[in-house]
Amino acid sequence: MPGPLVIGRYCSIAKTVRSAPINHPFDAITTHPALYERKFGVVENDIHYDDPQVIEDDVWIGHNAMILPSCRRIGRGSIIGAGAIVTRDVPRYAVVAGNPAKILRERFPTELQQALEESCWWMLDLQGLRDLVRDHPDLAFHPSVENIRAERWAERTGQ
């Protein structure tokens, strides 16, 4: 059995995304699942990873992306392009695509990333997000360091 999958808040994951929980043992006598799945009667226990695969908050994963077992963490605010084969961890706010997936760019400049991290906006419930859009649509749709830092996030998120 694979390790657990942890998915954060406000993630957009296409229905066709796949996550491979474990690799075939390519250095063993055979790559057949009989060496890692007990249902075949060869091994007593399923082989699994103890650490979870983590998809942090506000991640967008496009159609037909494949997350391989060597990727244990997909960082907050990142975007994974359609058809990407993700073979390693994805940093926060990175835009990745391809086979293997490579960083194409950062979603936001570093200072804006820091302001977003400090805000913890993803802790808003849907009503809080609705209120934010109503009260400050410019912040919701065109965030800047200034408008993020001017907001009273602790009051909105209850943090």
Side-chain angles (χ1 to χ4, degrees):
M1 165 166 272
L5 177 65
V6 177
I7 300 175
R9 299 168 59 98
Y10 295 106
C11 289
S12 303
I13 302 173
K15 291 180 181 180
T16 56
V17 170
R18 301 287 307 253
S19 173
I22 194 163
N23 277 324
H24 291 263
F26 65 88
D27 54 347
I29 192 170
T30 180
T31 59
H32 192 274
L35 291 187
Y36 60 88
E37 290 183 8
R38 96 185 143 116
K39 73 180 181 182
F40 293 99
V42 176
V43 296
E44 290 185 28
N45 297 303
D46 289 342
I47 295 173
H48 65 279
Y49 293 111
D50 292 328
D51 59 324
Q53 242 178 354
V54 176
I55 300 171
E56 293 184 343
D57 309 293
D58 188 38
V59 170
W60 173 19
I61 306 176
H63 279 287
N64 296 313
M66 172 67 84
I67 314 301
L68 296 182
S70 52
C71 173
R72 303 312 298 162
R73 181 171 295 273
I74 298 173
R76 183 178 297 112
S78 62
I79 297 172
I80 297 175
I85 309 295
V86 184
T87 60
R88 59 180 62 132
D89 291 357
V90 176
R92 289 181 173 175
Y93 303 100
V95 178
V96 303
N99 179 10
K102 293 189 180 351
I103 297 174
L104 302 179
R105 68 183 189 91
E106 291 188 340
R107 186 170 161 203
F108 300 115
T110 303
E111 192 176 6
L112 182 51
Q113 290 178 36
Q114 291 169 343
L116 287 165
E117 287 295 301
E118 292 165 7
S119 76
C120 296
W121 74 263
W122 54 88
M123 296 305 294
L124 294 170
D125 59 16
L126 287 174
Q127 181 61 51
L129 190 57
R130 186 178 304 116
D131 293 345
L132 180 68
V133 168
R134 181 195 65 225
D135 298 343
H136 302 287
D138 56 321
L139 189 157
F141 294 104
H142 303 288
S144 69
V145 173
E146 295 76 25
N147 65 15
I148 289 173
R149 292 206 169 131
E151 183 58 36
R152 295 184 179 176
W153 292 102
E155 293 174 18
R156 285 197 186 270
T157 63
Q159 299 293 322

